[in-house]
Amino acid sequence: MTTERHTDALSVSGHDVAQLAWARTRLVQAALPRRMMQEVVAAVERNATWRGQECLNLLAPEAPMSPTVRALLSAEVGQRAAEGHIGPANRWFAGTRHIDEIESLAVELLKRVFRSQYADHRLVASMVGNLAVYTALTSPGDTVMSLPQPVGGHSSNRPDGPAGVRGLKVVDIPVRPDLSVDLDAFAETARRVQPCLVALGASMTLFPLPVAEMAEIVRPWGGRVFFDGAHQMGLIGGGQFQDPLAEGAAVMTGSAGKTFSGPQSGIIVWNDPEIAGPLFQAIFPTLAATHQVNRVAALAAAAAEFLEFGPAYMAQIVENAQALAEALHAQGVPVWGADRGFTRTHQVIVDARPFGGGLKAAQLLEEANIITNKNLLPVDQPSDWDRPSGLRLGTTEVTRYGMRAPEMRRIAGLMADVLQRHQDPAAVRSAAIDLRRTFPTLQFCFPLNG
Ligand SMILES: *Cc1c(COP(=O)(O)O)cnc(C)c1O
């Protein structure tokens, strides 16, 4: 078993030491606590102007929240404590009657969106949701199978994340370079190692995965499929991707702040009453205490808006991703999955090797106010983490601001100007700002509080 943790000289202490030195200098210059606070507020405002108004955000894990959802994040209830399960007898604290209302609305709304029998709202991150799944459904020393990072796997299902924390043996799911699972090789390995859990779902995600087939393969020894839908949660809720629970996954987790477009946190849903006890127990008291009720309120509001707008919003996201991929391909930018129709999700994966790799490409594009991220490709090793070959794009944010296929072609043109035609990114930047400013209004949502 190889460990995949990324280490280099800079990450020994974690944070970038030069950046922390910058902050110390600013605090010394500010001198007074009040001016120190103003430093914080000013940095937030600089980000809001640049990232919020002047950039074409193509970061796949990001989504803009609706005005109501954003407003609820600063609600009064965010300073209330509510440990425990919903209901007066279950809480540690008195005074939770309206919190029970908010949280029960959240649970029932999530069950509607995901067409599930059970849902939970207390995960402060999807990463914690994955740890809850491993806590509930595995024991230390068990074997699980998951996707390695170069084919899109996420650390939360690998030895360097919650699966590793739980002391699990992690065996790779065999995946072809086109990101499809090699089912024959999977069946052979699975029968040999008999995983109790198979984690599917990926951070780099272009096509549906064979949930039903894999669930069938592991059924004889009581193995289960766990779908980590962090990225695809919105697409699944909106009926624009496969439906893992209906296809036989025992449990599904996901990020509320990725395509689902709610507050950054986790969602977990399942149908089987037999695993309800262990999952609830893993969430509380094991992994959640105070769980940010303002965030729960925002999550519930996002779910209600999703019932109204989700299907159309998510369909447009996928259409835009396909349009962006096709336009990049037409400009001569190599796009992964060309032989499979490029994408069935919000993501587009660019092979950035002709442009000096993913890090170089992302840095050049950032200079042009086009925000993307470097990404491992199937041709990379996990150790290529800091200098991978790929670039990952996502269309969630540009879609919610109302952009459509013509704007995807425009964005592809700007990207090709920078990457392919070597134009000065600073010169491309003003065109990116213009395009962003042409679409100031968030769509697929109700008016504030309304
Ligand atoms: C983003 C991601 C996570 C972690 O989600 P957070 O909500 O950021 O904690 C887990 N699994 C996969 C596949 C992801 O892409």
Side-chain angles (χ1 to χ4, degrees):
M1 199 79 36
T2 58
T3 103
E4 293 172 2
R5 187 178 294 283
H6 162 71
T7 47
D8 64 23
L10 269 184
S11 64
V12 168
S13 65
H15 301 302
D16 183 279
V17 290
Q19 185 63 48
L20 294 180
W22 170 91
R24 283 196 299 277
T25 305
R26 294 300 277 246
L27 294 177
V28 168
Q29 285 168 354
L32 302 172
R34 180 176 187 169
R35 300 246 301 270
M36 294 178 185
M37 184 182 79
Q38 287 164 352
E39 281 288 340
V40 176
V41 173
V44 170
E45 280 168 3
R46 285 194 293 276
N47 193 69
T49 303
W50 181 49
R51 294 292 306 282
Q53 296 169 16
E54 298 177 345
C55 283
L56 295 168
N57 270 322
L58 300 177
L59 273 186
E62 284 190 355
M65 288 176 278
S66 79
T68 306
V69 172
R70 262 177 74 170
L72 285 170
L73 284 178
S74 57
E76 180 274 348
V77 79
Q79 56 207 332
R80 303 299 157 206
E83 289 188 27
H85 303 298
I86 296 169
N90 294 327
R91 301 283 193 184
W92 195 245
F93 309 113
T96 56
R97 75 173 78 124
H98 301 301
I99 292 171
D100 281 336
E101 292 167 3
I102 295 165
E103 296 195 6
S104 57
L105 287 166
V107 166
E108 293 303 323
L109 281 161
L110 290 172
K111 282 163 60 179
R112 277 188 186 224
V113 170
F114 295 103
R115 307 169 288 277
S116 66
Q117 299 297 315
Y118 297 90
D120 208 274
H121 58 292
R122 288 169 292 181
L123 308 168
V124 293
S126 194
M127 198 93 172
V128 177
N130 291 3
L131 183 53
V133 169
Y134 291 118
T135 304
L137 303 182
T138 70
S139 301
D142 280 351
T143 297
V144 299
M145 290 183 75
S146 69
L147 300 165
Q149 270 99 335
V151 292
H154 187 263
S155 63
S156 52
N157 303 307
R158 304 297 294 168
D160 56 349
V165 170
R166 185 64 171 153
L168 301 170
K169 296 195 199 82
V170 180
V171 176
D172 292 354
I173 296 171
V175 176
R176 301 190 190 90
D178 70 354
L179 302 180
S180 63
V181 174
D182 183 338
L183 273 178
D184 290 335
F186 171 75
E188 196 193 301
T189 306
R191 284 183 192 122
R192 184 161 44 79
V193 305
Q194 306 218 334
C196 62
L197 212 57
V198 175
L200 277 175
S203 308
M204 174 168 66
T205 169
L206 297 175
F207 308 107
L209 292 162
V211 170
E213 292 85 344
M214 295 171 79
E216 198 54 46
I217 289 167
V218 301
R219 201 182 317 276
W221 55 89
R224 294 184 172 101
V225 167
F226 153 41
F227 199 88
D228 175 351
H231 269 268
Q232 312 89 340
M233 213 60 180
L235 305 175
I236 292 165
Q240 304 301 322
F241 197 61
Q242 66 187 139
D243 188 345
L245 289 187
E247 292 166 24
V251 58
M252 175 164 74
T253 60
S255 299
K258 296 183 183 172
T259 52
F260 187 68
S261 305
Q264 290 180 343
S265 56
I267 297 171
I268 183 168
V269 291
W270 70 96
N271 287 326
D272 181 0
E274 267 186 28
I275 58 174
L279 282 170
F280 282 132
Q281 167 88 16
I283 294 165
F284 183 85
T286 308
L287 294 170
T290 42
H291 48 257
Q292 306 164 348
V293 188
N294 55 328
R295 175 194 64 72
V296 177
L299 178 63
E305 280 183 321
F306 201 90
L307 286 172
E308 177 85 9
F309 302 102
Y313 173 23
M314 296 298 129
Q316 189 63 49
I317 284 175
V318 178
E319 246 182 83
N320 282 353
Q322 289 167 346
L324 180 61
E326 269 162 35
L328 286 166
H329 181 74
Q331 301 264 352
V333 173
V335 182
W336 214 259
D339 49 339
R340 296 179 73 191
F342 298 112
T343 183
R344 300 265 305 277
T345 69
H346 60 307
Q347 292 188 10
V348 175
I349 303 297
V350 169
D351 183 344
R353 284 177 290 181
F355 317 121
L359 177 63
K360 174 97 184 298
Q363 286 172 341
L364 280 174
L365 290 167
E366 180 179 330
E367 283 300 303
N369 280 15
I370 299 171
I371 310 299
T372 64
N373 72 269
K374 64 182 180 181
N375 215 82
L376 290 171
L377 289 184
V379 293
D380 293 321
Q381 295 301 313
S383 54
D384 296 329
W385 187 91
D386 51 353
R387 289 184 187 276
S389 300
L391 196 64
R392 184 179 62 167
L393 318 175
T395 54
T396 310
E397 179 156 330
V398 290
T399 303
R400 202 167 203 188
Y401 279 109
M403 297 188 197
R404 301 284 182 273
E407 290 75 38
M408 296 306 113
R409 291 193 280 275
R410 181 88 182 100
I411 292 172
L414 296 177
M415 290 180 65
D417 285 345
V418 173
L419 297 177
Q420 193 89 305
R421 293 185 278 276
H422 305 289
Q423 288 187 17
D424 179 7
V428 176
R429 189 187 306 149
S430 59
I433 295 175
D434 282 348
L435 179 56
R436 175 66 188 82
R437 292 214 169 125
T438 312
F439 291 85
T441 313
L442 209 75
Q443 320 237 322
F444 303 110
C445 60
F446 297 118
L448 182 60
N449 298 325

